[in-house]
Amino acid sequence: MNFCSDNVTGACPEVMEALVAFNQGSAMPYGGDDCTARLPRIFAEIFEHEVAVFPVTTGSAANALALSVLTPPYGAIYCHPQAHIQVDECGAPELLTGGAKLVGIPGEHGRIDGDAFKMALAQAGFGVVHHVQPAALSLTQATEAGTLYSLDQLGSLADLAHQFGLKVHMDGARFANALVSLGCTPAEMTWKAGVDVLSFGATKNGAWAAEAVVFFQPELAGDFEFRRKRAGHLVSKLRFLSAQLQAYLTDGVWLRNARHANAMAQKLAQGLGSLPGAEWVHPPQANELFIELPEPVLQALEQAGFRFYRWLGEDHNQIRLVTAFNTTAADVEHFCQVAKQASQAISVSPGHGANLAT
Amino acid sequence: MNFCSDNVTGACPEVMEALVAFNQGSAMPYGGDDCTARLPRIFAEIFEHEVAVFPVTTGSAANALALSVLTPPYGAIYCHPQAHIQVDECGAPELLTGGAKLVGIPGEHGRIDGDAFKMALAQAGFGVVHHVQPAALSLTQATEAGTLYSLDQLGSLADLAHQFGLKVHMDGARFANALVSLGCTPAEMTWKAGVDVLSFGATKNGAWAAEAVVFFQPELAGDFEFRRKRAGHLVSKLRFLSAQLQAYLTDGVWLRNARHANAMAQKLAQGLGSLPGAEWVHPPQANELFIELPEPVLQALEQAGFRFYRWLGEDHNQIRLVTAFNTTAADVEHFCQVAKQASQAISVSPGHGANLAT
Amino acid sequence: MNFCSDNVTGACPEVMEALVAFNQGSAMPYGGDDCTARLPRIFAEIFEHEVAVFPVTTGSAANALALSVLTPPYGAIYCHPQAHIQVDECGAPELLTGGAKLVGIPGEHGRIDGDAFKMALAQAGFGVVHHVQPAALSLTQATEAGTLYSLDQLGSLADLAHQFGLKVHMDGARFANALVSLGCTPAEMTWKAGVDVLSFGATKNGAWAAEAVVFFQPELAGDFEFRRKRAGHLVSKLRFLSAQLQAYLTDGVWLRNARHANAMAQKLAQGLGSLPGAEWVHPPQANELFIELPEPVLQALEQAGFRFYRWLGEDHNQIRLVTAFNTTAADVEHFCQVAKQASQAISVSPGHGANLAT
Amino acid sequence: MNFCSDNVTGACPEVMEALVAFNQGSAMPYGGDDCTARLPRIFAEIFEHEVAVFPVTTGSAANALALSVLTPPYGAIYCHPQAHIQVDECGAPELLTGGAKLVGIPGEHGRIDGDAFKMALAQAGFGVVHHVQPAALSLTQATEAGTLYSLDQLGSLADLAHQFGLKVHMDGARFANALVSLGCTPAEMTWKAGVDVLSFGATKNGAWAAEAVVFFQPELAGDFEFRRKRAGHLVSKLRFLSAQLQAYLTDGVWLRNARHANAMAQKLAQGLGSLPGAEWVHPPQANELFIELPEPVLQALEQAGFRFYRWLGEDHNQIRLVTAFNTTAADVEHFCQVAKQASQAISVSPGHGANLAT
């Protein structure tokens, strides 16, 4: 009954079993173990491309460390104004890049607008010593608005970035949710579209703390390992991170988890979208819903014990609902039922009707 | 048969069970869960003092983040030249403090020499704008040489630091091993001796990735939470870190683990110390042994499948042996037996004897 | 004939004489000289307030160092999107603050919009660990658009900042030009309006390399001197910086220089504003003009040897003209005459007239 | 009568005249002027080698910026424990390199010991992720002890550095003083000996604020200009820095100044070295003297109005004396005379003699 985020979950059974299974015997630390050694091949198969891959424990670390090898400390990183790296990481990219500047490029529903990006590049002052130097474009898929870039949109933005010599990073905290919605291959959503480096998220979709930084040109990884270590992000018993990733990627666990989460989101969307007064803030395309509901509906839901965030603060009626691999259909149905009943109660209430009429 | 380090281990059974047990239901992320909320009380009881406590995944993160609230970016942090923060963290303290300088203070067997520290403070140039400003003293207990500071030594160094306005940090990656060797209370080895902030290690002694930064004056923690977040070290599903720490500290698991590891080290020490040609590099006082053994002995051990580090490189015969909570008496006995046999083979070998005689 | 910037000038005679005069005898370095010792009193008299004052050689250093004592490394600094600190300092604020984030607040003609600032503060997430923490507001006076904040506008923005606990910085690279345009006192344009720290520029208005960071609550300066030193900005023969500032502030040199520059700008504005096709980009209020002129006029001016920047690139007809303390009336008249003649040539050209008619 | 430092001086006449002469007309800022454009040729002639050269205002800026292009942020910079970059720059190298570690390599009289350097490299852990990575060797010539490396010593240390892939930086704050003492060419003391980058100091020897960072392989300069700008060290009216350097290097001004300063140091050394109780701390080889003198002698000198630093603090009788381009023979003679008289007074004083006898 907690729709606050997909990180209110634990680990999915397959991941937890792997943690238990790998907790045997001894293994060389800092990635010297067999499981970590297998990761490049596992990722290479899934992405149909040679990769360099580095596990870390958090998405902020994955993003900031990935960016740190793409930009000089006086570089500019272009991202959506609502990107996680810009808004939700307390300056981690600035710290780990040594001071690079994140430049917001606006666009509707969490997607960077191509023309706005083009204009920003035109005015960037390449080679002019007074200006930070364009170094990277960071795209979030699924976006912070719960929407998706189409493959064409990704490709077009990445092309533009490459034309100007920038590298392309993808924040894939909800990579699997985006992937199964688009119905494309991991390759198509990444290197085939022009993505150079991916923050591959597993935590929100079934791991307990496992993200992977994936470089599609291994040589681009450069000094990543030194940067990871000096940020305190080289876990000594690294096999436990690798074990989570391996279990997550085995037998389609990750895709199954994501499909379920997305299906629950669609079910929620169907139940809520038709309510009177309901208004979509963003079109729901993965496992996040941003919707405005009448205040009495929200209060009824809260009183029924459902948890979710009022996205603009407690005095606003815009909410975010997030589903996960373990969201049950029963919970979703219950949620929709409470909302529907509260909604019907409004429409028959003369007092509230009078308010609506003004 | 792996004596390379105490981080070649997995998690101890009690910690692994806790991870499984806590993997139920949903919990608010980023420390908003019940288990994390219990941590301050748990640590307060163990340390007999009010504390602020923050879980992180690595010792380097714990150390560098702890130091980052003790020093300005132009500060000096005094530590042993062989301290982990100086030698083994690839510059993490420099990164997370924004550029503070680590100043090595020598001393035998991994312990900072009090007179050398006094001299360094006398020449530090307090208030002089050209010089980095003394901010913190960092002590490692057990030391990187596998030795211990006595309570008197700790208190005396901490007093000196406090007289000059410095804060005192303890790197307790092997805190439990030191504690059970000294036979004192956690309070006596920390705040009663003058320690202001502790990097409390659990990973090497039974957790899989859990360290806690413990401030003995909670207000000293200051902006620690912002610094942890912006370093990418705020784990979203934080309850799993807290669960490890809770299990580790419940029913004396941590002390039992450490006592076992230390006992195994003593057993090893007894078996090796009397071999001809054996020479202690440092007196073994916790769960690490630094010893020189004749080359044929080392080769016999390596051929028998034992793993350990040649501490000064492959062409030196100084080795480090580390025992852990799951080191078996049988493995230790086997190790000693192989060493003894190899040693006896030397003494009867005329050729080798001839070498010794030159 | 160079209208590119007010930094194409040398030093004004009074400043150059001071440099020569102070080049006698010996003086203690790093500010231990008599001239530097006099600065606080000189500035205190001019600003009618006790101050702490620190000379540096560049405006970027003044700004970034001033901000570095106002913000933690995870802080947010609000500024106009076109502010010098955001656009023209290659990330100096990020470097010297240790990674703080500059958040652009839009507004017309180079001035931050109060409502936009209010909204940004409302959404900033004070105390929320995921977000950079609001620390400072930076206002540029005169703005990068050559316009001015009124005293009321300054006061209102500063009040808002203070209500939320932020400090207020003023980038006064063209402080004198703004001051004489507003016709107010230095006190009124700074601390009486709520400014906490001022980057007081002298270089553009008669010095050769002298800016002063002025704290209106001396205790706010905190560790500024350590920060200046560690940025390499403590000039050893500091008396030469102080001598420039002293000469600049003596006998109203600075005000006379600024009045002249502004008068020349007004003269230019009068000559150009009435030309057919001329369009002001920003209302000229100090010593900078942003204007669009017909392409043939610009080409005529360029061919006549006048230098200025096409502000949006070589293929745009928006230009910036900057006057300085040594701009001559003859040069301005010549400039206007060439422009007028070129303009008249257009209007009698049938071909061009035809274009205009389309 | 001020022997505290060579930075108690003003600018030498030739430099001051250049400042006045260049204060005419207008010039494009930020190095777009003719004088700055001439610098590479001027330096190339003096050093008999193609160079990239960048003026800055302070030695700390020159050193830290030079090093910032030689090392990654997780790099190690080897220097003498008493090097200016280690002791006297308040952490500027750490700031401008983004957190690199300065590793002290001891050696007598301010010179790095070759064997100690070799051992440090052997233990550095190249490629090992836990350790900062060796990046640069920084040599100070003349050293902080007023001594010199011979050309052989320079070459040998630089060779060792190059063998291990390190770059070689020279802190030449007193470059000219060293050069004229060794009697070699600028080329011999730099690139012919293996120096890759030079902080070429002019301030202490006749400029008022002018240092140049000189790269002997221009391509090694890399992104130096961006790093200079973002540190706030790109002076807008750069021609004044360039003018100082040009005047300094024209007609042998710099060599003449240095020869005079060194000659005055030799004269002082002759006058003081033979006094009873005088003891050289370091052999004087350029323009700095480190000597211990009997307390009554020091007090007599202080009472006569001479200024100098007691190098280990006020209660020690080790002093540093520095001569400069404008030190007069008369002042030196006066100094020696006062010292001699005070010395003679001691020897006839029965009380003091008694003390000496104990």
Side-chain angles (χ1 to χ4, degrees):
Chain A
M1 308 223 296
N2 188 326
F3 294 92
C4 284
S5 179
D6 30 12
N7 61 22
V8 304
T9 59
C12 69
E14 296 87 346
V15 166
M16 190 40 95
E17 282 158 23
L19 283 170
V20 173
F22 275 85
N23 193 33
Q24 306 299 326
S26 61
M28 293 306 282
Y30 302 116
D33 64 279
D34 295 343
C35 184
T36 302
R38 278 193 298 273
L39 284 187
R41 194 167 44 77
I42 294 173
F43 275 83
E45 279 174 20
I46 281 173
F47 283 95
E48 306 172 53
H49 201 283
E50 192 189 1
V51 298
V53 55
F54 305 97
V56 294
T57 50
T58 73
S60 294
N63 288 335
L65 287 171
L67 292 168
S68 77
V69 299
L70 301 186
T71 180
Y74 49 83
I77 299 163
Y78 296 91
C79 62
H80 194 274
Q82 295 305 319
H84 204 266
I85 59 172
Q86 179 70 300
V87 173
D88 292 304
E89 301 186 351
C90 197
E94 285 87 345
L95 172 63
L96 295 187
T97 62
K101 192 186 284 286
L102 275 64
V103 179
I105 305 292
E108 291 199 340
H109 299 312
R111 301 185 200 97
I112 288 176
D113 179 72
D115 289 336
F117 182 38
K118 200 175 294 184
M119 185 173 305
L121 289 170
Q123 299 176 351
F126 285 82
V128 178
V129 79
H130 305 291
H131 307 317
V132 288
Q133 293 299 295
L137 167 67
S138 181
L139 300 168
T140 309
Q141 178 82 324
T143 75
E144 296 298 323
T147 61
L148 301 177
Y149 288 98
S150 70
L151 294 188
D152 277 356
Q153 288 170 326
L154 288 177
S156 159
L157 287 165
D159 275 358
L160 192 54
H162 288 155
Q163 281 168 32
F164 282 82
L166 284 70
K167 297 293 180 189
V168 179
H169 166 253
M170 177 177 278
D171 177 352
R174 294 185 177 93
F175 185 85
N177 303 97
L179 189 75
V180 300
S181 273
L182 283 187
C184 63
T185 67
E188 286 167 345
M189 205 167 84
T190 55
W191 61 271
K192 287 189 178 174
V195 174
D196 298 303
V197 193
L198 168 67
S199 295
F200 178 85
T203 305
K204 291 180 194 294
N205 189 39
W208 87 246
E211 314 278 308
V213 180
V214 183
F215 291 87
F216 294 104
Q217 302 127 280
E219 70 281 6
L220 189 63
D223 56 5
F224 185 91
E225 294 194 71
F226 289 104
R227 292 181 176 276
R228 178 175 60 173
K229 173 66 190 184
R230 85 172 189 123
H233 279 291
L234 178 56
V235 172
S236 64
K237 300 182 181 179
L238 193 59
R239 59 172 158 162
F240 287 113
L241 281 184
S242 305
Q244 292 178 67
L245 290 166
Q246 179 180 318
Y248 179 73
L249 291 171
T250 297
D251 295 335
V253 167
W254 65 306
L255 302 174
R256 199 159 55 240
N257 283 355
R259 280 196 199 100
H260 176 80
N262 288 14
M264 291 300 102
Q266 284 304 313
K267 193 176 176 71
L268 257 183
Q270 286 158 14
L272 301 176
S274 57
L275 295 181
E279 203 155 335
W280 291 110
V281 180
H282 305 299
Q285 301 184 312
N287 69 320
E288 292 189 292
L289 281 64
F290 292 84
I291 192 168
E292 287 179 14
L293 291 175
E295 183 60 30
V297 173
L298 296 184
Q299 289 179 8
L301 287 163
E302 286 164 347
Q303 282 158 22
F306 291 106
R307 304 193 69 170
F308 46 79
Y309 287 122
R310 290 177 179 247
W311 205 238
L312 301 180
E314 287 309 305
D315 50 347
H316 289 76
N317 65 335
Q318 180 185 132
I319 63 170
R320 184 184 79 159
L321 301 170
V322 191
T323 55
F325 68 90
N326 65 352
T327 304
T328 66
D331 278 350
V332 170
E333 284 157 16
H334 185 195
F335 190 98
C336 292
Q337 192 180 23
V338 171
K340 192 174 179 185
Q341 287 173 345
S343 184
Q344 289 169 337
I346 298 173
S347 57
V348 299
S349 148
H352 193 80
N355 281 342
L356 285 179
T358 60
Chain B
M1 309 224 293
N2 188 324
F3 293 92
C4 285
S5 179
D6 29 13
N7 61 22
V8 303
T9 59
C12 68
E14 297 86 346
V15 165
M16 191 39 98
E17 282 159 23
L19 282 170
V20 173
F22 274 86
N23 193 33
Q24 306 299 326
S26 60
M28 293 306 282
Y30 301 116
D33 64 278
D34 295 344
C35 184
T36 303
R38 277 193 298 272
L39 283 186
R41 195 166 44 76
I42 293 173
F43 275 84
E45 280 175 18
I46 281 172
F47 283 95
E48 306 173 55
H49 201 283
E50 193 188 0
V51 299
V53 55
F54 305 97
V56 293
T57 49
T58 73
S60 294
N63 287 337
L65 288 171
L67 292 168
S68 78
V69 300
L70 301 187
T71 179
Y74 48 83
I77 299 164
Y78 296 91
C79 62
H80 192 273
Q82 295 306 318
H84 204 265
I85 58 172
Q86 179 70 302
V87 173
D88 293 304
E89 302 186 351
C90 197
E94 284 87 347
L95 172 63
L96 296 186
T97 62
K101 193 187 285 285
L102 275 63
V103 180
I105 305 292
E108 292 199 339
H109 299 312
R111 302 183 200 98
I112 288 176
D113 179 73
D115 288 337
F117 182 38
K118 200 175 291 183
M119 186 174 305
L121 290 169
Q123 299 177 350
F126 285 83
V128 177
V129 80
H130 306 289
H131 307 317
V132 290
Q133 293 297 297
L137 168 67
S138 181
L139 300 168
T140 309
Q141 178 82 325
T143 75
E144 297 298 323
T147 59
L148 301 177
Y149 288 98
S150 70
L151 295 187
D152 277 356
Q153 286 169 327
L154 288 177
S156 158
L157 287 165
D159 275 358
L160 191 55
H162 288 155
Q163 281 168 32
F164 281 82
L166 284 72
K167 296 293 181 190
V168 178
H169 167 254
M170 177 177 278
D171 178 351
R174 295 188 176 91
F175 185 84
N177 303 97
L179 189 75
V180 300
S181 273
L182 283 188
C184 65
T185 69
E188 285 167 347
M189 206 168 82
T190 55
W191 61 271
K192 287 188 177 174
V195 174
D196 297 303
V197 194
L198 169 67
S199 295
F200 178 85
T203 304
K204 292 180 194 294
N205 189 39
W208 87 246
E211 313 278 309
V213 179
V214 184
F215 291 88
F216 295 104
Q217 302 127 284
E219 69 282 5
L220 189 62
D223 56 6
F224 185 91
E225 295 194 69
F226 290 103
R227 292 181 176 275
R228 178 176 59 173
K229 172 68 190 182
R230 85 171 189 121
H233 279 291
L234 178 56
V235 172
S236 65
K237 301 182 180 178
L238 193 58
R239 58 172 158 161
F240 287 112
L241 282 184
S242 304
Q244 291 178 67
L245 290 166
Q246 180 180 317
Y248 179 74
L249 291 171
T250 298
D251 295 336
V253 168
W254 67 306
L255 301 174
R256 200 159 54 241
N257 284 355
R259 279 195 199 100
H260 176 80
N262 288 12
M264 291 301 102
Q266 284 304 313
K267 193 176 176 70
L268 257 182
Q270 285 158 14
L272 301 176
S274 55
L275 296 181
E279 202 154 335
W280 292 109
V281 181
H282 304 298
Q285 301 185 312
N287 68 320
E288 292 188 292
L289 280 63
F290 292 84
I291 192 168
E292 287 179 14
L293 291 174
E295 183 59 31
V297 173
L298 296 184
Q299 289 178 9
L301 288 163
E302 285 164 347
Q303 282 158 22
F306 291 106
R307 303 193 67 169
F308 45 81
Y309 288 121
R310 289 178 180 247
W311 205 239
L312 301 180
E314 288 310 305
D315 50 346
H316 288 78
N317 64 337
Q318 180 184 132
I319 64 170
R320 184 185 78 161
L321 301 170
V322 191
T323 55
F325 67 91
N326 63 353
T327 304
T328 64
D331 278 350
V332 170
E333 284 158 14
H334 185 194
F335 190 99
C336 293
Q337 192 179 22
V338 171
K340 193 174 177 183
Q341 286 172 346
S343 184
Q344 288 169 338
I346 299 173
S347 57
V348 298
S349 149
H352 192 82
N355 280 342
L356 284 178
T358 61
Chain C
M1 308 226 293
N2 188 326
F3 293 93
C4 285
S5 179
D6 29 12
N7 61 22
V8 304
T9 59
C12 70
E14 296 88 345
V15 165
M16 190 41 94
E17 283 159 22
L19 282 170
V20 174
F22 274 85
N23 193 32
Q24 306 299 327
S26 61
M28 292 307 281
Y30 302 116
D33 64 279
D34 295 344
C35 185
T36 302
R38 278 193 297 272
L39 284 187
R41 194 165 45 75
I42 294 173
F43 275 83
E45 279 174 19
I46 281 172
F47 283 94
E48 307 173 54
H49 201 283
E50 191 188 1
V51 298
V53 55
F54 305 97
V56 292
T57 49
T58 73
S60 294
N63 287 335
L65 287 171
L67 291 168
S68 77
V69 299
L70 301 186
T71 180
Y74 49 83
I77 299 163
Y78 296 91
C79 62
H80 193 273
Q82 296 305 319
H84 204 266
I85 58 171
Q86 179 70 302
V87 174
D88 293 304
E89 302 185 352
C90 197
E94 284 88 347
L95 172 62
L96 296 187
T97 62
K101 192 186 284 287
L102 274 63
V103 180
I105 305 292
E108 292 198 340
H109 299 312
R111 300 183 200 98
I112 288 176
D113 179 73
D115 288 337
F117 182 37
K118 199 174 292 183
M119 185 173 307
L121 289 170
Q123 300 177 350
F126 284 83
V128 178
V129 79
H130 306 290
H131 307 317
V132 288
Q133 294 298 296
L137 167 68
S138 181
L139 301 167
T140 309
Q141 178 84 322
T143 75
E144 296 299 323
T147 61
L148 302 177
Y149 288 99
S150 70
L151 295 188
D152 277 356
Q153 287 170 326
L154 288 177
S156 159
L157 287 165
D159 275 0
L160 192 54
H162 288 154
Q163 281 168 32
F164 282 81
L166 284 70
K167 296 294 182 190
V168 179
H169 167 253
M170 177 176 277
D171 177 352
R174 294 187 177 92
F175 185 86
N177 302 96
L179 188 76
V180 299
S181 274
L182 284 187
C184 64
T185 68
E188 286 167 345
M189 206 167 82
T190 54
W191 62 271
K192 287 187 177 175
V195 173
D196 299 302
V197 193
L198 168 68
S199 295
F200 179 84
T203 305
K204 293 180 193 294
N205 189 38
W208 88 246
E211 313 279 307
V213 179
V214 183
F215 291 87
F216 294 106
Q217 303 127 279
E219 70 282 5
L220 189 62
D223 55 6
F224 185 90
E225 294 193 71
F226 289 103
R227 292 181 176 276
R228 177 175 60 173
K229 173 66 191 185
R230 87 172 188 121
H233 279 291
L234 177 56
V235 172
S236 64
K237 301 182 180 178
L238 193 59
R239 60 172 158 163
F240 286 114
L241 282 185
S242 304
Q244 291 179 67
L245 289 167
Q246 178 178 318
Y248 179 73
L249 290 171
T250 299
D251 295 335
V253 167
W254 65 306
L255 301 174
R256 198 158 57 240
N257 283 356
R259 279 196 199 98
H260 176 80
N262 288 11
M264 289 302 102
Q266 284 304 313
K267 192 177 177 72
L268 257 182
Q270 285 158 14
L272 300 177
S274 57
L275 295 181
E279 203 154 334
W280 291 109
V281 180
H282 304 298
Q285 300 185 312
N287 69 320
E288 292 188 291
L289 280 64
F290 292 84
I291 192 168
E292 287 180 15
L293 290 174
E295 184 58 32
V297 173
L298 296 185
Q299 289 179 8
L301 287 162
E302 285 165 347
Q303 282 157 22
F306 291 106
R307 303 194 67 170
F308 46 81
Y309 287 121
R310 290 179 180 245
W311 204 238
L312 302 180
E314 286 310 305
D315 50 346
H316 288 76
N317 65 337
Q318 181 185 131
I319 64 169
R320 185 184 79 159
L321 301 171
V322 192
T323 56
F325 68 90
N326 64 351
T327 304
T328 65
D331 278 350
V332 171
E333 284 158 14
H334 185 195
F335 190 98
C336 292
Q337 192 180 24
V338 171
K340 193 174 177 183
Q341 286 173 346
S343 183
Q344 288 168 339
I346 299 173
S347 57
V348 300
S349 150
H352 193 80
N355 280 343
L356 283 178
T358 61
Chain D
M1 308 224 294
N2 187 327
F3 292 93
C4 285
S5 179
D6 30 13
N7 61 21
V8 304
T9 59
C12 69
E14 296 88 346
V15 166
M16 192 38 102
E17 281 158 23
L19 282 170
V20 173
F22 274 86
N23 193 35
Q24 306 300 326
S26 60
M28 292 307 281
Y30 302 116
D33 65 279
D34 295 344
C35 184
T36 303
R38 276 193 298 272
L39 284 187
R41 195 166 44 76
I42 294 174
F43 276 83
E45 280 175 19
I46 282 173
F47 283 95
E48 306 172 56
H49 202 281
E50 192 189 2
V51 298
V53 55
F54 305 97
V56 292
T57 49
T58 73
S60 294
N63 287 335
L65 287 171
L67 292 169
S68 78
V69 300
L70 301 186
T71 180
Y74 49 82
I77 299 162
Y78 296 90
C79 63
H80 193 273
Q82 296 305 318
H84 204 264
I85 59 171
Q86 179 71 301
V87 173
D88 292 305
E89 302 185 353
C90 198
E94 284 88 346
L95 173 63
L96 295 186
T97 62
K101 192 187 286 285
L102 276 63
V103 180
I105 305 291
E108 291 200 341
H109 300 311
R111 302 184 200 99
I112 288 176
D113 179 73
D115 289 336
F117 182 38
K118 199 174 293 183
M119 185 174 305
L121 289 170
Q123 300 177 349
F126 284 82
V128 178
V129 80
H130 306 289
H131 307 317
V132 289
Q133 293 298 296
L137 167 68
S138 181
L139 301 168
T140 309
Q141 178 83 324
T143 75
E144 297 298 325
T147 61
L148 302 177
Y149 288 98
S150 71
L151 294 188
D152 277 355
Q153 287 169 327
L154 288 177
S156 159
L157 287 165
D159 275 358
L160 192 55
H162 287 155
Q163 281 168 31
F164 282 82
L166 284 71
K167 297 293 180 190
V168 178
H169 167 254
M170 178 177 277
D171 177 351
R174 294 187 177 92
F175 185 86
N177 303 96
L179 189 75
V180 299
S181 273
L182 283 188
C184 63
T185 68
E188 287 166 345
M189 204 167 82
T190 56
W191 62 271
K192 287 188 178 174
V195 174
D196 299 301
V197 194
L198 169 67
S199 295
F200 178 84
T203 306
K204 292 180 194 294
N205 189 39
W208 87 247
E211 314 278 308
V213 179
V214 184
F215 291 87
F216 294 104
Q217 303 127 282
E219 70 282 6
L220 189 62
D223 56 5
F224 185 91
E225 295 193 72
F226 290 103
R227 292 182 177 275
R228 178 176 60 172
K229 172 67 190 184
R230 85 172 190 122
H233 278 291
L234 178 55
V235 172
S236 64
K237 301 182 179 178
L238 193 59
R239 59 172 157 161
F240 287 113
L241 281 185
S242 304
Q244 291 178 67
L245 289 166
Q246 179 179 316
Y248 179 74
L249 290 171
T250 298
D251 295 335
V253 167
W254 65 307
L255 301 174
R256 198 158 57 241
N257 283 355
R259 279 195 200 100
H260 176 79
N262 288 11
M264 290 301 103
Q266 285 303 315
K267 193 176 176 70
L268 257 182
Q270 286 157 13
L272 301 176
S274 56
L275 295 181
E279 201 153 337
W280 291 110
V281 180
H282 304 299
Q285 300 184 314
N287 68 320
E288 291 188 292
L289 281 63
F290 292 84
I291 192 168
E292 286 180 14
L293 290 175
E295 183 59 32
V297 173
L298 296 184
Q299 288 179 8
L301 287 163
E302 286 164 346
Q303 280 158 24
F306 291 107
R307 302 192 69 170
F308 46 80
Y309 288 121
R310 289 176 180 247
W311 204 238
L312 301 180
E314 287 310 306
D315 49 348
H316 289 77
N317 65 336
Q318 180 184 132
I319 64 170
R320 185 184 78 160
L321 301 171
V322 191
T323 56
F325 68 90
N326 65 352
T327 304
T328 65
D331 278 350
V332 170
E333 284 158 14
H334 185 193
F335 189 98
C336 293
Q337 190 178 25
V338 171
K340 190 172 179 185
Q341 286 172 347
S343 183
Q344 290 169 337
I346 299 172
S347 57
V348 300
S349 149
H352 192 81
N355 280 341
L356 284 179
T358 62

